[in-house]
Amino acid sequence: QVQLVESGGGLVQPGGSLRLSCAASGFTSNLYTVAWFRQAPGKEREGVSCINNKDGSTSYADSVKGRFTLSRDNAKKTVYLQMNSLKPEDTAVYYCATVLLPIYSVSGCLRPANYYYWGQGTQVTVSS
């Protein structure tokens, strides 16, 4: 019954920006941990950013620090990923995921195996 739906992906030139949205439904409680992952062709799924919604703390992969920002709107049960200064290597399918538990470690927060609910993904392509 819990559903996550991503939107906002598309084609953008290097240096451009996109904002991804992840809307949750099917439950009434605020999400405890929400994360964004990405998977490029031929590569394993990679943690991008996560938020512990218990305290609002966020974490980022080194490759996106300073360029991506995760934010939340608890009233709308929506999490956003603002992506600026996009690079070709950011090209991937981006997924949001959640688990109804708090994850406090950075490594745990960015580990795909720790998540239970997943969206279907949205394609982000950075190319000229």
Side-chain angles (χ1 to χ4, degrees):
Q1 189 174 359
V2 175
Q3 296 181 355
L4 301 175
V5 180
E6 303 98 332
S7 62
L11 175 65
V12 64
Q13 293 183 334
S17 298
L18 287 172
R19 190 180 76 159
L20 306 183
S21 298
C22 175
S25 63
F27 55 93
T28 58
S29 300
N30 288 335
L31 302 176
Y32 282 95
T33 309
V34 185
W36 286 97
F37 297 87
R38 66 186 182 186
Q39 189 165 20
K43 295 186 177 181
E44 294 184 348
R45 192 162 297 185
E46 172 191 20
V48 176
S49 182
C50 59
I51 181 169
N52 179 348
N53 211 40
K54 187 77 170 180
D55 58 15
S57 62
T58 55
S59 300
Y60 299 89
D62 289 341
S63 60
V64 306
K65 286 181 180 177
R67 300 188 298 120
F68 291 10
T69 303
L70 190 155
S71 61
R72 62 178 177 174
D73 186 333
N74 286 336
K76 296 181 179 179
K77 289 185 169 58
T78 301
V79 175
Y80 306 95
L81 185 67
Q82 179 66 46
M83 305 186 295
N84 298 326
S85 302
L86 284 163
K87 305 174 181 179
E89 50 263 45
D90 295 318
T91 296
V93 177
Y94 283 71
Y95 302 88
C96 64
T98 189
V99 63
L100 302 183
L101 293 169
I103 302 175
Y104 294 102
S105 70
V106 174
S107 59
C109 191
L110 296 175
R111 185 180 176 220
N114 285 334
Y115 292 82
Y116 186 77
Y117 299 103
W118 291 81
Q120 291 186 313
T122 184
Q123 176 71 49
V124 173
T125 302
V126 184
S127 176
S128 298

